[in-house]
Each structure stands twice: as structure tokens, then as C-alpha cells.
């Protein structure tokens, strides 16, 4: 019986072109994933097939080539840039006599390393257990006691069945804990709805610069690094918009092509912040050769979680990596903002994003004239602070005649706090 090694970081990478060629950027992304997981790529094996081999995924000749590299370079790990079936994974491990990991297992491992919050750890563990449940093998047949006969009769359960039962029990426990966390998150969302505070959610392909932009906008200390899936745990911060009041800015997990289904399911409650947002800021790496593919993949996942109907503004980030590029706002034929070009790292164009956000939330505005007595100095200061004063004239009695412009949301909140102010409207 083959024993799976407990550790191993030196790796042979395998990618097979199925029915066509692969973009070099996709292969570079695969290498970055491996490095992000902490492995050391030793060799990169490529090949081509019309369709995967049902037993080994690769052909017999390619399997022999990989086996020769594993033995010669003394590596402990072979990583495939493809999803493997449980039987393919087991057959390859027996063939190479080392651990084999597919793309799904690789991404799950990175998520397990990066999760920091209690909820994030639970979500990753749930995804890992769901993935593991299809990969339980008969590694304890010497303990099996269902064969019958003297000395062989036992409790009537093999070790494999015991493992599967314990694993399912753990999955149920995690689901119950996540339901409690999700209930707490839902209470927070309802509280923001009652306070009429909209949510702006940052979404995008992994390593597009979401966390860097988040830190630039709100002055937060969220971890940001030039690596895939640098941050996983969602972070919410208050962002004040001039003349529009406050919004909640949410930084979410990055997406990637072929994102494991188990991960999407496990992070469903976290991603609900995205599906219930008032606006999505879709952060795109403007310097990437595959930015069109990245945009398409993000939109596919947004559709998967029910967030494809939420209004989007694309943020083309990393402008400092492009030659002769300047910060700008792109609009559609109706004059609405559809794209903002900026650099979150240097701060170029961030002020344009503030203007775009103000413009978006200014769609439902209230313009009102009012007259204040000299004794209403507190209201006078409050209106200057909460809205935009379009016109102001002094009266003979020492008061003010004012014309203000304010978001409908902020206007309703102001009247709720100061109901007597309504008597001053003219």
C-alpha cells in the first residue's frame, strides 16, 4: 500500500494543452499559484492531447517522462494545472510514488494558508472537507472486520466507512457554525439598511489591486501584496463622500479562472456582501495581457453568486505600469461613468474615482430652499457639513436664505434627526 508523504515542497508542474494551445499568461499564472502556495517549481512538463486519458489524465509516455523527472530531481510533489478525478489522482500517485495535487487542491491549500478570521477558516475547511470526501481511499483494509469467520467478525463498519461518517459529521458541524456567523452578518446588513447606508463592494481578479485600492480610499491597514490571494477575509470600512454622506466599502476575496465550485459554495455568505451591494467597483489589472479574460471570469462568478444585476463601474488599475497612460473617466453614450483609469499604488486618478462615486450616488438628489433665523446657527452649520450649499444670502434679521443640494438618502436622515427643520422650507 502506497503511503502518502506528509510534506514536500519541491514540485514538478504539469500542464496539458487539450484540443489547442494555451496562452503563456495562463501558464505564468499557474506558476505564480504554485509559488504562492509555498512550493518550489523544479521542472515544468507540457504536452498536448485531444482529451484526457481516463486512467492517468496524461498518456503513458508522458507519465513515464514525469516519473523519470520525479526520480531524477528527487521531488516530493507533482502539481497538475487541471482538475483530476479521485481515481486519476490515486493512479498517478502510485505511478510516481509521490504526492499528486490538482489545480483545485492547490487553490484550496493557498486559501487554507491565507484565511485569518474565524469565518474564513471555517469556510476554507468546509471546502477542503467537501473536496476530501471524494478522495477517501481504502488505506485501512488490514483493520476491516466485515469478512466473517472466527476472529474476523466485528462492529460491522470498515475504517473507510468510519472516516466517511466522521467527515460528514464535521461538515455538518461547520455548516451549523457558518449559519450562526451568516446570521450575525445578516443582522449587520439589516442594520445598514435601516440606517440607509449603501454598500460599495470591490470585486476583481486576484492580484488586480483591490486591497491596495481599499487602503488608498479608506486609509486602512488591510494586508496587500503582489501575490495571488493575498487577502481572503472580507473587510468593511466607512467611506465618506463629499455631499453624499457615508457608504460602506467592502473588500472581498479575489476571483480566478476555474475557481473551485466548493470554494464558491463555502464563501457564499461572504460573497453575499457583493450580491446585495448598491454598486460594484470591478478592479481590473490594466497592465495585464489577459485583462479581457479576467473581466470575463469575474463576471462569470458574479453571475454564479447572483450579483450580475448589480451596477458596475470598472476600475482600470496599475496605470503606472502603462506607458503614456493618464488618469481619466470613460463614459457611455448616456454620459454615465463606466470606467475609471487610475493607479491605487501611486494615488494617480483616485480623485476621479471619488468624483465617479459622488456622481453615481447623486442620481437621486434633493434641491431645496429654506430660510433660517439667526437662532438657527447650529442648523446652518449642519447644512454646510451634510450637503452642498448652492446659494446663500443674509437676511435683515441676521439669518440666512439658502439653497442646498443633498442626496435623498442624506436628506431623509437629516429630517429624521431634525424634524423641525422642515418648517424652514420655502
Amino acid at each position: 500500500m502506497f503511503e502518502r508523504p506528509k510534506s514536500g515542497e519541491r514540485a514538478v508542474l504539469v500542464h496539458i494543452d487539450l484540443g489547442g494551445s494555451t496562452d503563456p499568461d495562463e501558464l505564468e499564472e499557474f506558476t505564480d499559484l504554485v509559488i504562492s502556495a509555498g512550493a518550489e517549481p523544479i521542472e515544468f512538463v507540457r504536452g498536448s492531447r485531444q482529451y484526457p486519458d481516463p486512467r492517468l489524465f496524461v498518456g503513458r509516455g508522458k507519465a513515464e517522462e514525469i516519473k523519470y523527472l520525479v526520480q531524477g530531481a528527487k521531488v516530493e510533489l507533482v502539481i497538475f494545472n487541471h482538475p483530476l478525478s479521485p481515481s486519476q489522482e490515486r493512479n498517478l500517485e502510485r505511478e510516481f510514488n509521490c504526492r499528486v495535487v490538482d489545480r483545485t487542491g492547490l487553490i484550496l491549500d493557498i486559501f487554507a494558508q491565507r484565511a485569518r478570521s474565524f469565518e474564513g477558516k471555517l469556510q476554507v475547511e468546509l471546502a477542503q472537507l467537501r473536496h476530501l470526501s471524494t478522495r477517501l481511499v481504502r488505506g485501512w483494509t488490514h483493520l476491516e472486520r466485515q469478512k466473517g469467520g472466527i476472529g474476523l467478525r466485528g462492529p460491522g463498519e470498515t475504517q473507510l466507512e468510519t472516516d466517511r461518517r466522521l467527515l460528514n459529521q464535521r461538515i455538518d458541524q461547520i455548516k451549523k457554525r457558518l449559519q450562526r456567523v451568516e446570521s450575525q452578518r445578516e443582522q449587520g446588513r439589516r442594520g445598514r439598511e435601516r440606517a440607509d447606508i449603501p454598500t460599495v463592494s470591490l470585486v476583481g481578479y486576484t492580484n488586480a489591486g483591490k486591497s491596495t485600492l481599499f487602503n488608498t480610499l479608506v486609509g486602512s491597514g488591510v494586508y496587500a501584496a503582489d501575490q495571488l490571494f493575498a487577502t481572503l477575509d472580507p473587510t468593511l470600512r466607512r467611506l465618506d463622500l463629499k455631499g453624499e454622506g457615508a457608504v460602506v466599502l467592502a473588500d472581498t476575496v479575489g476571483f480566478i479562472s476555474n475557481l473551485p465550485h466548493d470554494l464558491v459554495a463555502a464563501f457564499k455568505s461572504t460573497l453575499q456582501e457583493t450580491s446585495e451591494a448598491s454598486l460594484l467597483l470591478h478592479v481590473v489589472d490594466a497592465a495585464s495581457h489577459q485583462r479581457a479574460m479576467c473581466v470575463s471570469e469575474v463576471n462569470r462568478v458574479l453571475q454564479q453568486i447572483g450579483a450580475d444585476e448589480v451596477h458596475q463601474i470598472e476600475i482600470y488599475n496599475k496605470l503606472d505600469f502603462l506607458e503614456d497612460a493618464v488618469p481619466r473617466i470613460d463614459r457611455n453614450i448616456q454620459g454615465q461613468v463606466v470606467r475609471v483609469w487610475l493607479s491605487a499604488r501611486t494615488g494617480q486618478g483616485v480623485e476621479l474615482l471619488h468624483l465617479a462615486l459622488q456622481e453615481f450616488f447623486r442620481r437621486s438628489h434633493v434641491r431645496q430652499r429654506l430660510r433660517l433665523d439667526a437662532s438657527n446657527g447650529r442648523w446652518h452649520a449642519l447644512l454646510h457639513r451634510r450637503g452642498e450649499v448652492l446659494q446663500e444670502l443674509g437676511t435683515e434679521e441676521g439669518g440666512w436664505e439658502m439653497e442646498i443640494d443633498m442626496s435623498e438618502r442624506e436628506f431623509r436622515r437629516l429630517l429624521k434627526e431634525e424634524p423641525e427643520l422642515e418648517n424652514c422650507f420655502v
Side-chain angles (χ1 to χ4, degrees), residues 1 13 29 60 97 106 134 158 204 210 245 272 274 295 318 333-334 372 374:
M1 179 66 190
L13 280 52
E29 178 185 271
R60 168 55 61 184
N97 197 38
L106 176 64
T134 64
T158 64
K210 295 183 305 302
Q272 197 169 351
T274 298
V295 169
K318 302 189 180 182
I333 56 176
Q334 288 82 28
L372 301 178

Side-chain angles (χ1 to χ4, degrees), residues 295-311:
V295 169
S296 176
E297 283 293 332
V298 170
N299 287 331
R300 186 180 63 82
V301 177
L302 290 176
Q303 185 177 22
Q304 197 174 347
I305 63 175
D308 52 319
E309 297 297 325
V310 182
H311 188 87

Side-chain angles (χ1 to χ4, degrees), residues 75-138:
V75 301
E76 308 97 340
L77 181 63
V78 176
I79 305 177
F80 278 72
N81 191 27
H82 311 275
L84 299 174
S85 69
S87 62
Q88 287 171 338
E89 193 172 297
R90 290 194 295 270
N91 291 336
L92 288 167
E93 286 185 334
R94 281 193 291 265
E95 188 75 22
F96 304 149
N97 197 38
C98 75
R99 194 154 45 102
V100 174
V101 175
D102 67 355
R103 183 182 176 89
T104 299
L106 176 64
I107 294 176
L108 286 172
D109 184 82
I110 295 173
F111 271 59
Q113 293 180 46
R114 304 284 161 77
R116 294 290 179 268
S117 70
F118 174 71
E119 180 184 11
K121 291 176 181 178
L122 285 177
Q123 289 167 327
V124 173
E125 185 181 354
L126 177 60
Q128 286 181 315
L129 290 176
R130 283 172 169 166
H131 184 65
L132 178 64
S133 65
T134 64
R135 283 159 164 76
L136 291 177
V137 295
R138 294 183 179 275

